[in-house]
Amino acid sequence: DSGVTQTPKHLITATGQRVTLRCSPRSGDLSVYWYQQSLDQGLQFLIQYYNGEERAKGNILERFSAQQFPDLHSELNLSSLELGDSALYFCASSVDEGYTEKLFFGSGTQLSVL
Amino acid sequence: SQQGEEDPQALSIQEGENATMNCSYKTSINNLQWYRQNSGRGLVHLILIRSNEREKHSGRLRVTLDTSKKSSSLLITASRAADTASYFCATDAKNAGGTSYGKLTFGQGTILTVHP
């Protein structure tokens, strides 16, 4: 058990809908990262937050947004969903901000867009 | 192509044999890490090697780093059926200021199958 909690584990929805994925980092970790894993794209970095502030951004679509709350949990919002958004979405956490060392991953949310 | 590309894409060996996976990357890095993923589950950190290190050991794992060739290798010795998983290298790229971009970039992974 990594200590990172992601909910829900599975999500099935229709095109055009909006969903929210939730992540609770390990106790004491201030950084949260979101990754998308698909067969064709592999593991893609989406976004990083550190203590409530956005720190790094990857290839995150404009239809996607994220935030980190004062209690350090994070949410990834995906809107106007398309079939191609079907993927495994991982949250990871770490203590540090500037140096990215040893991420702890949650077990992921499997999103299926039908 | 992506920062952090592993080869081979798939590796099949017998229990007790050694498994070697390679990773190549494109930019200057602060560190390189290896992660393991069991089927459809979260990734687990295995080992980290910094850009000023050449070799590192952890149990049955040995990692080497050649920054001149921008490549790394992961050796798993005396493999076990339980080592069956996907293995990913991940790089923490160095920005113009010499620090981190704040993200890890993962390769496509090597699928290792260890037969009992």
Side-chain angles (χ1 to χ4, degrees):
Chain A
D1 183 9
S2 67
V4 178
T5 304
Q6 285 189 251
T7 57
K9 291 194 184 310
H10 302 278
L11 201 48
I12 301 173
T13 188
T15 54
Q17 295 298 304
R18 172 190 166 96
V19 297
T20 297
L21 312 184
R22 183 188 168 101
C23 169
S24 294
R26 283 190 330 152
S27 176
D29 284 359
L30 300 178
S31 277
V32 169
Y33 306 76
W34 286 97
Y35 282 85
Q36 178 195 59
Q37 185 177 36
S38 61
L39 282 175
D40 54 344
Q41 295 290 323
L43 264 163
Q44 295 288 317
F45 169 74
L46 297 178
I47 198 163
Q48 181 213 2
Y49 280 84
Y50 176 79
N51 204 20
E53 293 187 11
E54 183 184 306
R55 275 290 183 257
K57 210 165 186 176
N59 298 325
I60 187 167
L61 299 172
E62 285 191 12
R63 301 183 286 108
F64 295 2
S65 64
Q67 54 184 325
Q68 186 180 27
F69 295 86
D71 67 353
L72 301 178
H73 91 271
S74 178
E75 292 181 356
L76 178 66
N77 299 296
L78 315 176
S79 61
S80 302
L81 285 167
E82 302 174 359
L83 295 176
D85 297 327
S86 295
L88 193 47
Y89 290 84
F90 285 109
C91 166
S93 72
S94 70
V95 173
D96 50 61
E97 172 197 5
Y99 269 93
T100 306
E101 299 188 3
K102 192 166 185 180
L103 301 189
F104 292 86
F105 280 79
S107 54
T109 293
Q110 180 68 60
L111 174 66
S112 299
V113 182
L114 305 178
Chain B
S1 54
Q2 295 188 29
Q3 174 90 333
E5 296 185 2
E6 291 92 336
D7 92 273
Q9 290 187 325
L11 183 58
S12 182
I13 59 175
Q14 296 295 127
E15 241 181 356
E17 295 180 340
N18 295 341
T20 299
M21 289 159 266
N22 303 297
C23 168
S24 60
Y25 58 91
K26 296 184 184 303
T27 65
S28 294
I29 60 172
N30 292 302
N31 65 67
L32 185 145
Q33 304 174 37
W34 286 88
Y35 286 79
R36 164 193 168 130
Q37 182 181 33
N38 286 77
S39 179
R41 305 188 119 199
L43 283 79
V44 175
H45 181 271
L46 294 176
I47 194 166
L48 177 151
I49 187 164
R50 301 185 193 284
S51 59
N52 61 354
E53 297 175 315
R54 291 297 166 257
E55 188 170 312
K56 207 156 181 184
H57 296 255
S58 176
R60 294 184 295 114
L61 305 180
R62 172 179 169 252
V63 171
T64 61
L65 179 65
D66 186 334
T67 53
S68 66
K69 295 181 180 177
K70 292 187 168 56
S71 68
S72 172
S73 68
L74 171 68
L75 168 67
I76 304 174
T77 60
S79 62
R80 306 165 182 167
D83 295 328
T84 295
S86 293
Y87 291 82
F88 296 85
C89 69
T91 50
D92 178 15
K94 191 176 291 189
N95 61 25
T99 57
S100 171
Y101 282 104
K103 64 177 183 178
L104 286 183
T105 301
F106 287 82
Q108 294 292 331
T110 293
I111 301 171
L112 173 66
T113 303
V114 182
H115 299 281

